[in-house]
């Protein structure tokens, strides 16, 4: 054997050794650090069956590199602001006991999961689509006197986005403190990128975990999916709306998107501001404090509410556990509206158990999803959910991006989170839980309108799919941990 062949053999042996070491290291990391068994099994299978591809994909997308402690980044606020928050919390517990005694344990669960208290004295107003929400949000920015905090997953540089850019520029010129936070993947949905435009205007702008890959990829992990606008620390907006032209349905956009957003007034606005402040401090290192961002908040309405942040840090798995608790307290009906419905086996079992016990469970999803693999995987799960007596309705186009959960006639849950592993385990999300019978009636009426136009699907419909379609959907379901 000549020297060249020997070197070639040594090179191959070295590569195989490195590959084996990488597989062993990756598998060890998976077993020791991953909390979710199906996800662990899926990633392990990918690593073992396709070592090179699996190892690279796992270390790029499969691990949580964020190790932040939220309590270290909490804002410095005034004593008066803290005292007002305590008063709102005390009043909330008294009202919960008098108005919704059956939901007191659910309130305690939220206390334990979020390490925060319910607050009374809030007013929450639903805003349907960008047509209703954007004018309210723009008007709020134009009347800002001290501060504007805006966070969005997608902030397109299009007709709708440019209106917000102009309003933010006007506020900045008036001397208002403006801070804008945009997700590192969400910025790639339009060109030129909005962060670049805002920075050129002198507006302080942060990019959350800027992606190393200059591509628009909805499957990348650890995204800041929250949608928050807080003006003067007093008026807030949150929900499912991104900032983009497609949400303005009255202008007949090329890719229309239905959605639901909420105007928030009262003590719970502080929770929105705290979530933004934490993300801003993590991204930029600047800690926002003082009354410009955290003023004393007086009662504004009758809602008992609380912000529920969730993310792959110390807030891990809060949303999913609160959802399970809410399902356990359902007595008459549960209504879920979500664009991406990929619940894990625990959630599926909970839905089946309460449906078979006589609670009406309605799940509304888009008839035509904008993410093909998610729709296929969801269809593969549908038969199991339908056999459990839950009802699934598909809503016609335009694509419905609404995120809403209603329990009986009192408990409302809305915000940025979807019913999929990405929202419930991998992204930074923010929802609001609200105890308010009047708001629940309004939201049930909105869902009634959606159901009236929807088509109910049956288990027999799922079983009637052709074999190739069933195989396609089944294979897509295997990808659920990565979708």
């Amino acid at each position: 054997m000549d020297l060249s062949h020997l070197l070639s053999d040594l090179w191959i042996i070295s590569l195989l050794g490195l590959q084996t070491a990488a597989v062993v290291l990756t598998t060890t990391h998976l077993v020791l650090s991953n909390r979710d068994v199906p996800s662990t099994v899926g990633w392990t299978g990918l690593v073992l069956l396709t070592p090179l591809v699996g190892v690279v994909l796992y270390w790029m997308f499969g691990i949580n590199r964020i190790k932040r402690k939220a309590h270290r980044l909490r804002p410095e606020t005034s004593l008066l602001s803290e005292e007002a928050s305590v008063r709102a919390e005390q009043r909330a517990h008294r009202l919960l006991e008098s108005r919704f005694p059956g939901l007191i344990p659910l309130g305690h669960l939220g206390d334990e999961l979020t390490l925060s208290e319910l607050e009374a004295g809030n007013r929450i107003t639903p805003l349907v689509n960008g047509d209703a929400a954007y004018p309210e949000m723009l008007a709020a920015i134009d009347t800002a006197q001290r501060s504007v905090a805006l966070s969005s997953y997608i902030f397109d540089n299009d007709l709708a986005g440019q209106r917000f850019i102009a309003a933010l520029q006007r506020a900045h010129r008036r001397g208002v403190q403006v801070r804008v936070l945009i997700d590192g993947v969400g910025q790639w949905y339009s060109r030129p990128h909005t962060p670049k435009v805002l920075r050129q205007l002198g507006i302080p702008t942060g990019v959350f975990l800027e992606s190393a890959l200059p591509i628009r990829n909805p499957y990348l992990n650890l995204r800041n999916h929250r949608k928050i606008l807080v003006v003067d620390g007093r008026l807030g907006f949150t929900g499912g709306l991104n900032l983009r032209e497609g949400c303005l349905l009255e202008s007949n956009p090329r890719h229309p998107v239905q959605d639901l957003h909420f105007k928030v007034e009262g003590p719970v606005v502080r929770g929105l501001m705290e979530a933004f402040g934490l993300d801003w401090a993590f991204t930029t290192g600047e800690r926002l404090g003082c009354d410009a961002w955290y003023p004393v908040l007086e009662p504004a309405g009758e809602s008992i509410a609380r912000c529920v942040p969730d993310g792959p840090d110390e807030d891990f798995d809060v949303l999913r556990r609160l959802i399970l608790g809410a399902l356990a307290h359902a007595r008459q009906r549960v209504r879920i509206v979500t664009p991406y419905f990929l619940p894990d086996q625990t959630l599926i079992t909970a839905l089946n158990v309460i449906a078979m016990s006589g609670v009406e469970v309605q799940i509304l999803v888009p008839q035509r999803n904008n993410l093909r693999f998610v729709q296929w995987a969801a269809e593969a799960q549908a038969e199991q959910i339908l056999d459990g007596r839950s009802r699934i309705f598909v809503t016609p186009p335009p694509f419905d991006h609404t995120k809403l959960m209603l329990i009986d006639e009192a408990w409302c849950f809305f915000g940025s989170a979807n019913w999929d592993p990405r929202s419930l385990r991998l992204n930074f999300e923010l929802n609001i839980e609200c105890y308010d019978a009047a708001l629940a009636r309004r939201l049930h009426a909105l869902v009634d309108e959606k159901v009236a136009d929807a088509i109910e699907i049956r288990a027999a419909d799922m079983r009637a799919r052709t074999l190739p379609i069933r195989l396609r959907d089944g294979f897509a379901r295997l990808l659920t941990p990565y979708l």
Side-chain angles (χ1 to χ4, degrees):
M1 179 180 294
D2 58 29
L3 182 60
S4 63
H5 285 130
L6 179 61
L7 291 175
S8 177
D9 290 344
L10 289 174
W11 177 247
I12 293 173
I13 292 171
S14 298
L15 287 178
L16 289 174
L18 287 172
Q19 177 179 290
T20 302
V23 169
V24 171
L25 175 63
T26 303
T27 305
T28 301
H29 188 275
L30 269 162
V31 172
L32 294 179
S33 64
N34 203 305
R35 310 188 193 197
D36 182 56
V37 172
S39 176
T40 300
V41 172
W43 278 113
T44 302
L46 186 64
V47 168
L48 295 178
L49 294 175
T50 58
L52 181 59
V53 174
V55 167
V56 171
L57 288 177
Y58 175 72
W59 288 100
M60 287 180 65
F61 308 124
I63 64 174
N64 175 16
R65 295 182 177 83
I66 296 181
K67 301 295 181 184
R68 70 180 192 181
K69 292 294 184 181
H71 64 269
R72 297 177 185 170
L73 301 173
R74 292 299 179 202
E76 297 177 0
T77 57
S78 70
L79 181 60
L80 288 175
S81 179
E82 296 285 350
E83 290 175 347
S85 181
V86 171
R87 289 196 299 272
E89 293 165 2
Q90 293 171 343
R91 182 166 173 256
H93 280 283
R94 292 196 300 269
L95 290 175
L96 192 64
E97 291 174 0
S98 63
R99 295 180 185 174
F100 311 107
L103 295 178
I104 291 174
L106 181 57
H108 289 321
L109 174 64
D111 296 343
E112 294 293 328
L113 290 176
T114 65
L115 301 180
S116 65
E117 302 284 340
L118 288 165
E119 294 182 298
N122 304 286
R123 179 164 57 235
I124 297 176
T125 307
L127 303 170
V128 179
N129 301 327
D131 304 289
Y134 289 171
E136 293 260 10
M137 296 165 73
L138 291 167
I141 295 172
D142 278 331
T143 58
Q145 297 178 354
R146 304 186 69 182
S147 65
V148 173
L150 173 61
S151 177
S152 185
Y153 174 61
I154 299 174
F155 187 158
D156 276 349
N157 186 13
D158 58 11
L159 177 63
Q162 287 163 12
R163 293 176 183 172
F164 279 90
I165 292 171
L168 293 168
Q169 184 183 20
R170 290 192 295 270
H172 179 65
R173 286 177 174 173
R174 293 196 308 272
V176 174
Q177 296 185 63
V178 178
R179 301 292 186 272
V180 181
L181 184 63
I182 302 172
D183 183 74
V185 170
Q187 68 169 330
W188 288 95
Y189 280 75
S190 66
R191 292 178 181 272
H193 305 322
T194 303
K196 179 180 179 181
V197 175
L198 292 170
R199 287 167 177 162
Q200 288 174 343
L201 296 173
I203 297 172
T205 303
V207 177
F208 187 91
L209 289 183
E210 192 153 13
S211 171
L213 299 176
I215 56 174
R216 183 184 69 187
N217 186 344
Y219 298 109
L220 287 176
N221 296 339
L222 308 179
R223 305 323 322 157
N224 188 344
H225 196 240
R226 297 168 178 167
K227 290 88 175 173
I228 298 171
L229 171 63
V230 180
V231 174
D232 291 335
R234 299 180 181 279
L235 176 60
F237 296 85
T238 194
L241 271 174
N242 290 295
L243 303 181
R244 57 191 335 193
E245 188 175 335
C247 298
L248 293 169
L249 270 65
E250 292 179 0
S251 63
N252 296 316
R254 183 177 179 184
H255 300 291
V257 177
Q258 300 181 66
D259 217 324
L260 186 61
H261 221 55
F262 295 83
K263 181 168 72 171
V264 182
E265 302 164 87
V268 78
V269 174
R270 179 189 172 103
L272 295 177
M273 190 61 230
E274 286 185 345
F276 177 90
L278 173 60
D279 293 338
W280 181 260
F282 172 75
T283 303
T284 69
E286 180 190 15
R287 296 179 66 180
L288 304 176
C290 77
D291 289 342
W293 302 99
Y294 298 95
V296 176
L297 295 173
E298 299 297 335
E302 297 300 318
S303 292
I304 305 168
R306 160 174 40 218
C307 287
V308 184
D310 187 283
D313 54 2
E314 67 180 15
D315 292 325
F316 180 75
D317 205 28
V318 172
L319 287 173
R320 191 180 73 96
R321 286 183 287 173
L322 186 57
I323 287 171
L324 286 169
L327 291 173
H329 285 82
R331 296 296 177 265
Q332 286 88 37
R333 60 176 173 172
V334 173
R335 308 181 95 177
I336 299 162
V337 186
T338 180
Y340 310 117
F341 186 65
L342 291 175
D344 62 21
Q345 194 58 50
T346 302
L347 286 170
I348 291 175
T349 301
L351 290 168
N352 288 349
V353 166
I354 64 169
M356 287 188 288
S357 68
V359 175
E360 182 181 15
V361 178
Q362 295 182 338
I363 302 158
L364 280 70
V365 294
Q367 184 178 33
R368 190 174 305 160
N369 206 291
N370 66 335
L371 296 179
R372 187 175 305 172
F373 287 104
V374 172
Q375 177 159 356
W376 295 344
E379 289 176 356
Q381 287 187 333
E383 187 174 337
Q384 181 183 2
I385 294 167
L386 292 167
D387 284 339
R389 302 295 184 268
S390 294
R391 302 171 70 189
I392 299 178
F393 298 82
V394 292
T395 55
F399 176 67
D400 195 343
H401 195 246
T402 300
K403 302 126 184 342
L404 179 64
M405 179 180 180
L406 302 173
I407 298 290
D408 296 336
E409 311 305 319
W411 193 80
C412 313
F413 201 45
F414 54 84
S416 65
N418 304 304
W419 276 61
D420 63 2
R422 186 160 302 280
S423 275
L424 299 180
R425 291 186 176 273
L426 298 173
N427 285 346
F428 292 89
E429 308 282 358
L430 185 134
N431 273 28
I432 291 181
E433 67 161 327
C434 181
Y435 300 76
D436 185 331
L439 177 63
R441 285 193 294 271
R442 293 184 64 182
L443 294 176
H444 275 300
L446 289 175
V447 178
D448 287 340
E449 293 175 7
K450 294 179 183 293
V451 171
D453 293 330
I455 299 172
E456 184 172 2
I457 61 173
R458 313 281 182 177
D461 299 329
M462 294 293 99
R463 286 190 281 269
R465 292 172 299 159
T466 63
L467 180 60
I469 297 298
R470 293 178 66 123
L471 287 172
R472 178 202 67 186
D473 295 348
F475 279 116
R477 186 182 181 187
L478 298 179
L479 299 174
T480 296
Y482 322 111
L483 296 178

